[in-house]
Coordinates of all heavy atoms in Angstrom, one line a residue:
Chain R
M15 N 25.2 26.1 -3.0 CA 25.5 24.7 -2.9 C 24.5 23.9 -3.8 O 24.2 24.4 -4.9 CB 25.3 24.2 -1.5 CG 24.0 24.7 -0.8 SD 23.7 23.6 0.6 CE 22.0 23.4 0.6
R16 N 24.1 22.8 -3.5 CA 23.4 22.0 -4.5 C 22.0 21.7 -4.0 O 21.7 20.6 -3.7 CB 24.2 20.6 -4.7 CG 23.6 19.8 -5.8 CD 23.6 18.4 -5.4 NE 24.9 18.1 -4.9 CZ 25.1 17.0 -4.2 NH1 24.1 16.2 -3.9 NH2 26.3 16.8 -3.7
K17 N 21.2 22.7 -4.1 CA 19.9 22.5 -3.5 C 19.0 23.7 -4.0 O 19.5 24.8 -4.0 CB 20.0 22.4 -2.0 CG 18.8 22.9 -1.2 CD 18.9 22.4 0.2 CE 17.8 23.0 1.0 NZ 18.2 24.3 1.5
T18 N 17.8 23.4 -4.3 CA 16.9 24.5 -4.8 C 16.8 25.6 -3.7 O 16.7 25.3 -2.5 CB 15.5 23.9 -5.1 OG1 14.7 25.0 -5.4 CG2 14.9 23.2 -3.9
H19 N 16.8 26.8 -4.2 CA 16.7 27.9 -3.3 C 15.2 28.4 -3.3 O 14.9 29.5 -2.8 CB 17.6 29.0 -3.7 CG 17.6 29.4 -5.1 ND1 16.5 29.7 -5.8 CD2 18.6 29.3 -6.0 CE1 16.7 30.0 -7.0 NE2 18.0 29.7 -7.2
N23 N 11.8 24.7 0.2 CA 10.8 23.6 0.4 C 11.4 22.2 0.2 O 10.7 21.3 0.5 CB 9.6 23.9 -0.5 CG 8.4 23.2 0.1 OD1 8.4 22.7 1.2 ND2 7.4 23.0 -0.8
A24 N 12.5 22.2 -0.4 CA 13.1 20.9 -0.7 C 14.2 20.5 0.3 O 14.9 21.3 0.8 CB 13.7 20.9 -2.1
V25 N 14.3 19.2 0.6 CA 15.3 18.7 1.5 C 16.4 18.1 0.6 O 16.2 17.6 -0.5 CB 14.8 17.7 2.4 CG1 13.8 18.3 3.4 CG2 14.2 16.5 1.7
D26 N 17.6 18.1 1.2 CA 18.8 17.4 0.6 C 18.6 16.0 0.9 O 18.7 15.5 2.1 CB 20.0 18.0 1.3 CG 21.3 17.4 0.6 OD1 21.2 16.3 0.1 OD2 22.3 18.0 0.7
W27 N 18.4 15.2 -0.1 CA 18.1 13.8 0.1 C 19.2 13.0 0.7 O 19.0 12.1 1.4 CB 17.8 13.1 -1.3 CG 16.4 13.2 -1.7 CD1 15.5 14.2 -1.4 CD2 15.6 12.3 -2.5 NE1 14.3 14.0 -2.0 CE2 14.4 12.9 -2.7 CE3 16.0 11.1 -3.2 CZ2 13.4 12.2 -3.4 CZ3 15.0 10.5 -3.9 CH2 13.7 11.0 -4.1
D28 N 20.4 13.5 0.5 CA 21.6 12.8 1.1 C 21.5 12.9 2.6 O 22.1 12.0 3.3 CB 22.9 13.4 0.5 CG 23.9 12.3 0.5 OD1 23.6 11.2 0.0 OD2 25.1 12.6 0.9
I30 N 19.0 12.5 4.3 CA 18.1 11.5 4.7 C 18.8 10.1 4.8 O 18.6 9.4 5.7 CB 16.9 11.3 3.8 CG1 16.1 12.6 3.9 CG2 16.0 10.1 4.1 CD1 14.9 12.7 2.9
R31 N 19.8 10.0 3.9 CA 20.6 8.8 3.9 C 21.4 8.8 5.2 O 21.6 7.8 5.9 CB 21.5 8.7 2.7 CG 22.4 7.5 2.6 CD 23.2 7.5 1.3 NE 24.1 8.6 1.2 CZ 25.4 8.5 1.6 NH1 25.8 7.4 2.1 NH2 26.2 9.6 1.4
I32 N 22.0 10.0 5.6 CA 22.7 10.1 6.8 C 21.8 9.9 8.0 O 22.2 9.1 8.9 CB 23.4 11.5 6.8 CG1 24.4 11.6 5.7 CG2 24.0 11.7 8.2 CD1 25.0 13.0 5.6
L49 N 29.8 6.0 7.9 CA 29.7 6.9 6.7 C 31.1 7.4 6.3 O 31.2 8.1 5.3 CB 28.7 8.0 6.9 CG 27.3 7.7 7.1 CD1 26.5 8.8 7.7 CD2 26.7 7.3 5.8
G50 N 32.0 7.2 7.1 CA 33.3 7.9 6.9 C 33.3 9.3 7.1 O 34.0 10.1 6.4
Q59 N 24.8 17.7 9.9 CA 23.9 17.3 8.9 C 22.5 17.0 9.5 O 21.5 17.4 8.9 CB 24.4 16.0 8.2 CG 25.6 16.3 7.3 CD 25.4 17.3 6.3 OE1 24.3 17.4 5.8 NE2 26.4 18.2 6.1
L67 N 13.3 20.3 7.8 CA 11.9 19.7 7.9 C 11.1 20.4 9.0 O 9.9 20.1 9.2 CB 12.1 18.2 8.3 CG 12.7 17.3 7.3 CD1 12.9 15.9 7.9 CD2 11.7 17.2 6.1
R68 N 11.8 21.3 9.7 CA 11.1 22.0 10.8 C 10.5 21.0 11.8 O 9.3 21.1 12.2 CB 10.0 22.9 10.3 CG 10.5 24.3 10.0 CD 9.3 25.1 9.5 NE 9.1 24.9 8.0 CZ 9.8 25.4 7.1 NH1 10.8 26.2 7.3 NH2 9.6 25.2 5.8
P70 N 12.0 18.2 15.1 CA 13.0 17.5 15.8 C 13.0 16.0 15.4 O 11.9 15.4 15.4 CB 12.7 17.7 17.3 CG 11.3 18.0 17.3 CD 10.9 18.6 16.0
H73 N 15.6 12.7 20.2 CA 15.8 13.2 21.6 C 17.2 12.9 21.9 O 17.6 11.7 21.9 CB 14.8 12.5 22.5 CG 13.4 12.8 22.3 ND1 12.9 14.1 22.3 CD2 12.3 12.0 22.1 CE1 11.6 14.1 22.0 NE2 11.3 12.8 21.9
E83 N 8.7 11.3 17.6 CA 7.6 10.7 16.8 C 7.8 11.0 15.3 O 7.7 10.2 14.4 CB 6.3 11.4 17.3 CG 5.1 10.8 16.7 CD 3.8 11.5 17.2 OE1 4.0 12.6 17.8 OE2 2.7 11.1 17.0
Q84 N 8.2 12.3 15.0 CA 8.5 12.6 13.6 C 9.7 11.8 13.1 O 9.7 11.4 11.9 CB 8.8 14.1 13.5 CG 7.6 15.0 13.8 CD 7.7 15.7 15.1 OE1 8.3 15.2 16.1 NE2 7.2 16.9 15.2
L87 N 8.6 8.5 12.0 CA 7.9 8.6 10.6 C 9.0 8.6 9.5 O 8.9 7.9 8.6 CB 7.1 9.8 10.6 CG 5.7 9.8 11.3 CD1 5.1 11.1 11.2 CD2 4.8 8.7 10.7
L88 N 9.9 9.5 9.7 CA 11.0 9.6 8.7 C 11.8 8.4 8.6 O 12.2 8.0 7.5 CB 11.9 10.9 9.0 CG 12.8 11.2 7.9 CD1 12.1 11.6 6.6 CD2 13.8 12.3 8.3
R90 N 10.9 5.3 9.0 CA 10.2 4.3 8.2 C 10.3 4.6 6.8 O 10.6 3.7 5.9 CB 8.7 4.2 8.6 CG 8.5 3.5 9.9 CD 7.1 3.0 10.1 NE 6.9 2.9 11.6 CZ 6.1 3.7 12.3 NH1 5.5 4.7 11.7 NH2 6.0 3.5 13.6
A91 N 10.1 5.9 6.4 CA 10.2 6.3 5.0 C 11.7 6.0 4.5 O 11.8 5.4 3.4 CB 9.9 7.7 4.8
E94 N 12.3 2.4 3.8 CA 11.7 1.9 2.6 C 12.5 2.5 1.4 O 12.7 1.8 0.4 CB 10.2 2.3 2.5 CG 9.4 1.5 3.5 CD 7.9 2.0 3.5 OE1 7.5 2.5 2.5 OE2 7.3 1.8 4.6
M95 N 12.9 3.7 1.5 CA 13.6 4.3 0.4 C 14.9 3.6 0.2 O 15.3 3.3 -1.0 CB 13.9 5.8 0.6 CG 12.6 6.7 0.5 SD 12.9 8.3 1.2 CE 13.8 9.1 -0.2
T96 N 15.6 3.3 1.3 CA 16.8 2.5 1.2 C 16.6 1.2 0.5 O 17.4 0.8 -0.4 CB 17.4 2.3 2.6 OG1 17.6 3.6 3.2 CG2 18.7 1.6 2.5
R98 N 14.2 0.3 -1.5 CA 13.9 0.5 -2.9 C 15.1 0.8 -3.7 O 15.3 0.2 -4.8 CB 12.9 1.7 -3.0 CG 12.3 1.9 -4.4 CD 11.5 0.7 -4.8 NE 11.0 0.9 -6.2 CZ 11.7 0.5 -7.2 NH1 12.9 -0.1 -7.1 NH2 11.2 0.6 -8.4
L99 N 16.0 1.6 -3.2 CA 17.2 2.0 -3.9 C 18.1 0.8 -4.0 O 18.7 0.5 -5.1 CB 17.9 3.1 -3.3 CG 19.1 3.7 -4.0 CD1 18.7 4.1 -5.4 CD2 19.8 4.8 -3.3
T102 N 17.0 -1.5 -6.7 CA 17.3 -1.0 -8.0 C 18.8 -1.1 -8.3 O 19.2 -1.5 -9.4 CB 16.9 0.5 -8.1 OG1 15.5 0.6 -7.8 CG2 17.2 1.1 -9.4
R103 N 19.6 -0.9 -7.3 CA 21.1 -1.1 -7.6 C 21.4 -2.5 -7.9 O 22.2 -2.7 -8.8 CB 21.9 -0.7 -6.3 CG 21.7 0.8 -6.0 CD 22.9 1.3 -5.3 NE 24.1 1.2 -6.0 CZ 25.3 1.5 -5.6 NH1 25.5 2.1 -4.5 NH2 26.4 1.4 -6.4
Q105 N 19.4 -4.5 -9.3 CA 18.8 -4.7 -10.7 C 19.8 -4.1 -11.7 O 20.0 -4.7 -12.8 CB 17.5 -3.9 -10.8 CG 16.3 -4.7 -10.3 CD 15.0 -3.9 -10.5 OE1 15.0 -2.8 -11.1 NE2 13.9 -4.4 -10.0
L106 N 20.4 -3.0 -11.4 CA 21.3 -2.4 -12.3 C 22.5 -3.3 -12.6 O 22.9 -3.5 -13.7 CB 21.8 -1.1 -11.8 CG 20.8 0.1 -11.8 CD1 21.5 1.4 -11.4 CD2 20.3 0.3 -13.2
T109 N 21.5 -6.2 -14.5 CA 21.3 -5.8 -16.0 C 22.7 -5.9 -16.6 O 22.8 -6.2 -17.8 CB 20.7 -4.4 -16.1 OG1 19.5 -4.4 -15.4 CG2 20.5 -4.0 -17.5
R110 N 23.7 -5.5 -15.8 CA 25.1 -5.5 -16.4 C 25.6 -6.9 -16.5 O 26.2 -7.2 -17.5 CB 26.0 -4.7 -15.4 CG 27.2 -4.2 -16.1 CD 27.9 -3.1 -15.4 NE 27.8 -3.2 -13.9 CZ 27.3 -2.2 -13.1 NH1 26.9 -1.1 -13.6 NH2 27.3 -2.4 -11.8
R160 N 13.9 2.6 -33.2 CA 13.6 1.6 -32.3 C 12.6 0.5 -32.8 O 11.8 -0.1 -32.1 CB 13.0 2.1 -31.0 CG 14.0 2.8 -30.1 CD 14.9 1.7 -29.5 NE 16.0 2.4 -28.7 CZ 15.8 2.9 -27.5 NH1 14.7 2.9 -27.0 NH2 16.8 3.4 -26.9
E297 N 23.6 3.3 -29.2 CA 23.1 3.4 -27.8 C 22.7 2.0 -27.2 O 22.4 2.0 -26.0 CB 21.9 4.3 -27.8 CG 20.7 3.8 -28.7 CD 19.8 4.9 -29.1 OE1 20.2 6.0 -29.2 OE2 18.6 4.6 -29.2
S300 N 25.8 -0.9 -24.8 CA 26.1 -1.2 -23.4 C 25.0 -2.1 -22.8 O 25.1 -2.4 -21.6 CB 26.2 0.1 -22.6 OG 24.9 0.8 -22.6
V301 N 24.0 -2.5 -23.6 CA 23.0 -3.3 -23.1 C 23.4 -4.8 -23.1 O 23.8 -5.3 -24.2 CB 21.7 -3.1 -23.8 CG1 20.6 -4.1 -23.3 CG2 21.2 -1.7 -23.7
R303 N 22.1 -7.7 -23.0 CA 21.5 -8.7 -23.9 C 21.9 -8.5 -25.4 O 22.0 -9.5 -26.1 CB 20.0 -8.8 -23.8 CG 19.3 -7.5 -24.0 CD 17.8 -7.6 -23.9 NE 17.2 -6.3 -24.1 CZ 17.0 -5.4 -23.2 NH1 17.4 -5.7 -22.0 NH2 16.5 -4.3 -23.5
Chain J
R83 N 30.7 15.0 1.0 CA 29.9 14.4 2.0 C 29.4 13.0 1.6 O 28.2 12.9 1.3 CB 28.7 15.3 2.3 CG 27.9 14.9 3.4 CD 26.5 15.1 3.2 NE 26.3 16.4 2.6 CZ 25.2 16.7 1.9 NH1 24.3 15.9 1.8 NH2 25.1 17.9 1.4
K84 N 30.2 12.1 1.6 CA 29.8 10.8 1.1 C 30.9 9.8 1.5 O 32.1 10.1 1.6 CB 29.7 10.9 -0.4 CG 30.2 9.8 -1.2 CD 29.8 9.9 -2.6 CE 30.2 8.7 -3.4 NZ 31.6 8.8 -3.9
T85 N 30.4 8.6 1.8 CA 31.4 7.6 2.3 C 32.5 7.4 1.3 O 32.3 7.4 0.1 CB 30.7 6.3 2.6 OG1 31.7 5.3 2.9 CG2 29.9 5.9 1.4
H86 N 33.7 7.3 1.9 CA 34.8 7.0 1.0 C 35.2 5.6 1.0 O 36.2 5.2 0.4 CB 36.0 7.9 1.4 CG 36.3 7.8 2.8 ND1 36.6 6.6 3.5 CD2 36.4 8.8 3.8 CE1 36.8 6.9 4.8 NE2 36.7 8.1 5.0
N90 N 31.1 2.7 -2.7 CA 29.9 1.8 -3.0 C 28.6 2.6 -2.8 O 27.5 2.1 -3.2 CB 29.9 0.6 -2.1 CG 29.1 -0.5 -2.7 OD1 28.7 -0.5 -3.9 ND2 28.8 -1.5 -1.9
A91 N 28.7 3.8 -2.2 CA 27.4 4.5 -1.9 C 27.3 5.6 -2.9 O 28.2 6.2 -3.4 CB 27.5 5.0 -0.5
V92 N 26.0 5.9 -3.2 CA 25.7 7.0 -4.0 C 25.2 8.2 -3.2 O 24.7 8.0 -2.1 CB 24.6 6.7 -5.1 CG1 25.2 5.6 -6.0 CG2 23.4 6.2 -4.4
D93 N 25.4 9.4 -3.8 CA 24.9 10.6 -3.1 C 23.4 10.6 -3.5 O 23.0 10.8 -4.6 CB 25.6 11.8 -3.7 CG 25.1 13.1 -3.0 OD1 24.0 13.1 -2.5 OD2 25.9 14.1 -3.1
W94 N 22.6 10.5 -2.4 CA 21.1 10.4 -2.7 C 20.6 11.7 -3.3 O 19.6 11.6 -4.1 CB 20.4 10.2 -1.4 CG 20.3 8.7 -1.0 CD1 21.2 7.7 -1.3 CD2 19.3 8.1 -0.2 NE1 20.8 6.6 -0.8 CE2 19.6 6.8 -0.1 CE3 18.1 8.6 0.4 CZ2 18.8 5.9 0.6 CZ3 17.3 7.7 1.1 CH2 17.7 6.3 1.2
D95 N 21.2 12.8 -3.0 CA 20.7 14.0 -3.6 C 20.8 14.0 -5.1 O 20.0 14.7 -5.8 CB 21.4 15.2 -3.0 CG 20.4 16.4 -2.9 OD1 19.3 16.2 -2.5 OD2 20.8 17.5 -3.3
I97 N 20.1 11.6 -6.9 CA 19.0 10.8 -7.4 C 17.8 11.8 -7.5 O 17.0 11.7 -8.4 CB 18.7 9.6 -6.5 CG1 19.8 8.7 -6.6 CG2 17.3 9.0 -6.9 CD1 19.7 7.5 -5.7
R98 N 17.7 12.7 -6.5 CA 16.6 13.7 -6.6 C 16.8 14.5 -7.9 O 15.9 14.8 -8.6 CB 16.7 14.6 -5.4 CG 15.6 15.6 -5.3 CD 15.7 16.3 -3.9 NE 16.9 17.1 -3.7 CZ 17.0 18.4 -4.1 NH1 16.0 19.0 -4.6 NH2 18.1 19.1 -3.9
I99 N 18.1 14.9 -8.1 CA 18.3 15.7 -9.4 C 18.0 14.9 -10.6 O 17.4 15.4 -11.5 CB 19.8 16.2 -9.3 CG1 20.0 17.1 -8.2 CG2 20.2 16.8 -10.7 CD1 21.5 17.5 -8.0
V115 N 14.1 24.3 -12.6 CA 13.3 23.8 -11.5 C 14.1 23.8 -10.2 O 13.6 24.2 -9.2 CB 12.7 22.4 -11.8 CG1 12.0 21.9 -10.6 CG2 11.8 22.5 -13.0
L116 N 15.3 23.3 -10.3 CA 16.1 23.1 -9.1 C 16.9 24.3 -8.7 O 17.5 24.3 -7.6 CB 17.2 22.0 -9.4 CG 16.6 20.6 -9.6 CD1 17.7 19.6 -10.2 CD2 16.1 20.0 -8.3
G117 N 16.8 25.3 -9.5 CA 17.6 26.5 -9.2 C 19.1 26.3 -9.4 O 19.9 26.8 -8.6
L118 N 19.4 25.5 -10.4 CA 20.8 25.2 -10.7 C 21.1 25.6 -12.2 O 20.2 25.7 -13.0 CB 21.1 23.7 -10.5 CG 21.2 23.2 -9.1 CD1 21.5 21.7 -9.1 CD2 22.3 23.9 -8.3
Q126 N 26.2 16.8 -12.3 CA 25.7 15.9 -11.3 C 25.2 14.6 -11.9 O 25.4 13.5 -11.3 CB 24.5 16.6 -10.6 CG 24.9 17.7 -9.7 CD 25.9 17.3 -8.6 OE1 25.8 16.2 -8.1 NE2 26.8 18.2 -8.3
L134 N 27.1 4.9 -10.4 CA 26.3 3.7 -10.6 C 27.0 2.8 -11.7 O 26.5 1.7 -11.9 CB 24.9 4.1 -11.0 CG 24.1 4.8 -10.0 CD1 22.7 5.2 -10.6 CD2 23.8 3.8 -8.8
R135 N 28.0 3.4 -12.3 CA 28.6 2.6 -13.4 C 27.5 2.2 -14.5 O 27.5 1.1 -14.9 CB 29.3 1.4 -12.9 CG 30.8 1.7 -12.6 CD 31.5 0.4 -12.1 NE 31.2 0.3 -10.7 CZ 31.8 0.9 -9.7 NH1 32.7 1.8 -10.0 NH2 31.5 0.7 -8.4
P137 N 25.1 4.1 -17.8 CA 24.5 5.3 -18.4 C 23.1 5.5 -18.1 O 22.3 4.5 -18.1 CB 24.8 5.0 -19.9 CG 24.8 3.5 -20.0 CD 25.4 3.1 -18.7
H140 N 20.3 8.6 -22.9 CA 20.9 8.8 -24.3 C 20.8 10.2 -24.6 O 19.7 10.8 -24.6 CB 20.1 8.0 -25.3 CG 20.2 6.5 -25.1 ND1 21.4 5.8 -25.0 CD2 19.2 5.6 -24.9 CE1 21.2 4.5 -24.8 NE2 19.9 4.3 -24.8
E150 N 17.9 1.9 -20.6 CA 17.2 0.9 -19.8 C 17.5 1.1 -18.3 O 16.6 1.0 -17.5 CB 17.7 -0.5 -20.3 CG 16.9 -1.6 -19.8 CD 17.5 -2.9 -20.3 OE1 18.6 -2.9 -20.9 OE2 16.9 -4.0 -20.1
Q151 N 18.7 1.3 -18.0 CA 19.1 1.5 -16.6 C 18.4 2.7 -16.0 O 18.0 2.8 -14.9 CB 20.6 1.5 -16.4 CG 21.3 0.2 -16.7 CD 22.1 0.3 -18.0 OE1 21.7 1.0 -18.9 NE2 23.2 -0.4 -18.0
L154 N 15.0 2.1 -15.0 CA 14.9 1.4 -13.7 C 15.0 2.4 -12.6 O 14.3 2.4 -11.6 CB 16.0 0.3 -13.6 CG 15.8 -1.0 -14.4 CD1 17.1 -1.8 -14.3 CD2 14.6 -1.7 -13.8
L155 N 16.1 3.2 -12.7 CA 16.3 4.2 -11.6 C 15.2 5.2 -11.5 O 14.8 5.6 -10.4 CB 17.6 4.9 -11.9 CG 18.1 5.8 -10.7 CD1 18.3 5.0 -9.5 CD2 19.3 6.6 -11.1
R157 N 12.0 4.7 -12.1 CA 10.9 4.2 -11.3 C 11.2 4.2 -9.8 O 10.3 4.6 -9.0 CB 10.6 2.7 -11.8 CG 10.0 2.7 -13.1 CD 9.3 1.3 -13.4 NE 9.1 1.2 -14.8 CZ 9.9 0.3 -15.5 NH1 10.8 -0.4 -15.0 NH2 9.7 0.3 -16.8
A158 N 12.4 3.8 -9.5 CA 12.7 3.8 -8.1 C 12.7 5.3 -7.5 O 12.1 5.5 -6.5 CB 14.1 3.3 -7.9
E161 N 9.1 6.4 -6.9 CA 8.6 5.8 -5.7 C 9.2 6.5 -4.5 O 8.5 6.7 -3.5 CB 8.7 4.3 -5.7 CG 7.8 3.6 -6.7 CD 8.1 2.1 -6.8 OE1 8.5 1.5 -5.7 OE2 7.9 1.5 -7.8
M162 N 10.5 6.7 -4.5 CA 11.1 7.3 -3.4 C 10.6 8.7 -3.2 O 10.3 9.1 -2.0 CB 12.6 7.4 -3.6 CG 13.3 6.0 -3.5 SD 15.0 6.0 -4.1 CE 15.9 6.8 -2.7
T163 N 10.4 9.4 -4.2 CA 9.8 10.8 -4.1 C 8.4 10.7 -3.5 O 8.1 11.5 -2.6 CB 9.7 11.4 -5.5 OG1 11.0 11.4 -6.1 CG2 9.2 12.8 -5.4
R165 N 7.2 8.4 -1.6 CA 7.3 8.0 -0.2 C 7.7 9.2 0.7 O 7.1 9.4 1.7 CB 8.3 6.9 -0.1 CG 8.4 6.2 1.3 CD 7.1 5.5 1.6 NE 7.1 5.0 2.9 CZ 6.8 5.7 4.0 NH1 6.4 6.9 3.9 NH2 6.8 5.1 5.2
L166 N 8.7 9.9 0.2 CA 9.1 11.0 1.0 C 8.1 12.1 1.1 O 7.9 12.7 2.1 CB 10.4 11.6 0.4 CG 11.1 12.7 1.1 CD1 11.4 12.2 2.5 CD2 12.3 13.2 0.4
T169 N 5.6 11.3 3.6 CA 6.1 11.5 5.0 C 6.1 12.9 5.3 O 5.8 13.3 6.4 CB 7.5 10.9 5.1 OG1 7.4 9.5 4.7 CG2 8.1 11.1 6.5
R170 N 6.5 13.8 4.3 CA 6.5 15.2 4.6 C 5.2 15.7 5.0 O 5.0 16.6 5.9 CB 7.1 16.0 3.4 CG 8.5 15.6 3.2 CD 9.2 16.8 2.5 NE 9.2 18.0 3.3 CZ 9.7 19.1 2.9 NH1 10.3 19.2 1.7 NH2 9.7 20.1 3.7
Q172 N 2.8 13.9 6.3 CA 2.6 13.4 7.6 C 3.2 14.2 8.7 O 2.6 14.5 9.7 CB 3.1 11.9 7.7 CG 2.2 10.9 7.1 CD 2.8 9.5 7.3 OE1 3.9 9.3 8.0 NE2 2.2 8.5 6.7
L173 N 4.4 14.7 8.4 CA 5.1 15.5 9.4 C 4.3 16.8 9.6 O 4.2 17.2 10.8 CB 6.5 15.8 8.9 CG 7.5 14.7 8.9 CD1 8.9 15.2 8.5 CD2 7.6 14.1 10.3
T176 N 1.3 16.0 11.5 CA 1.6 15.8 12.9 C 1.7 17.1 13.7 O 1.4 17.3 14.8 CB 2.9 15.0 13.1 OG1 2.7 13.8 12.4 CG2 3.2 14.7 14.5
R177 N 2.2 18.1 12.9 CA 2.4 19.4 13.5 C 1.1 20.2 13.6 O 0.8 20.8 14.6 CB 3.4 20.3 12.6 CG 4.0 21.4 13.3 CD 5.2 22.0 12.6 NE 5.1 21.9 11.2 CZ 6.0 21.3 10.4 NH1 7.1 20.8 10.9 NH2 5.9 21.3 9.1
R227 N 8.6 6.9 30.3 CA 7.6 6.8 29.3 C 6.4 6.0 29.9 O 5.6 5.4 29.1 CB 8.0 6.1 28.0 CG 8.9 7.0 27.2 CD 8.0 8.0 26.6 NE 8.7 9.0 25.8 CZ 9.2 8.8 24.6 NH1 9.0 7.7 24.0 NH2 9.9 9.7 24.0
E364 N 10.8 16.5 26.3 CA 10.8 15.9 24.9 C 9.5 15.8 24.3 O 9.3 15.5 23.1 CB 11.6 14.6 24.9 CG 10.9 13.6 25.8 CD 11.8 12.4 26.2 OE1 13.0 12.7 26.4 OE2 11.4 11.3 26.3
S367 N 7.0 19.3 21.9 CA 6.8 19.6 20.5 C 5.8 18.7 19.9 O 5.4 18.8 18.7 CB 8.1 19.5 19.8 OG 8.6 18.2 19.8
V368 N 5.2 17.8 20.7 CA 4.3 16.8 20.1 C 2.9 17.5 20.2 O 2.4 18.0 21.2 CB 4.2 15.5 20.9 CG1 3.1 14.6 20.4 CG2 5.6 14.9 20.8
R370 N -0.2 16.6 20.0 CA -1.3 16.2 20.9 C -1.1 16.5 22.3 O -2.0 16.8 23.1 CB -1.6 14.7 20.7 CG -0.4 13.8 21.0 CD -0.8 12.3 20.9 NE 0.4 11.5 21.1 CZ 1.3 11.2 20.2 NH1 1.1 11.7 19.0 NH2 2.3 10.5 20.4

Side-chain angles (χ1 to χ4, degrees):
Chain R
M15 47 164 216
R16 184 218 315 162
K17 151 164 174 274
T18 172
H19 48 57
N23 201 12
V25 294
D26 184 336
W27 276 27
D28 210 43
I30 295 177
R31 183 173 66 89
I32 294 174
L49 294 166
Q59 290 304 325
L67 292 174
R68 272 180 279 280
H73 295 304
E83 191 182 9
Q84 292 109 327
L87 284 174
L88 187 64
R90 285 198 203 107
E94 288 176 30
M95 288 169 78
T96 303
R98 186 67 184 84
L99 185 59
T102 302
R103 295 206 61 181
Q105 277 179 8
L106 286 185
T109 303
R110 198 163 38 234
R160 286 288 175 77
E297 60 201 34
S300 65
V301 176
R303 57 178 176 278
Chain J
R83 185 216 320 156
K84 141 167 182 277
T85 172
H86 48 57
N90 202 14
V92 294
D93 183 337
W94 275 28
D95 209 44
I97 295 177
R98 183 173 66 91
I99 295 174
V115 174
L116 294 166
L118 287 178
Q126 291 303 325
L134 293 173
R135 270 178 278 282
H140 296 304
E150 191 182 8
Q151 292 109 329
L154 284 174
L155 187 64
R157 285 200 202 106
E161 289 175 30
M162 289 169 78
T163 302
R165 186 66 184 86
L166 184 59
T169 302
R170 294 206 61 180
Q172 279 180 7
L173 286 185
T176 302
R177 197 163 37 231
R227 287 288 175 77
E364 60 200 34
S367 65
V368 176
R370 58 178 175 277

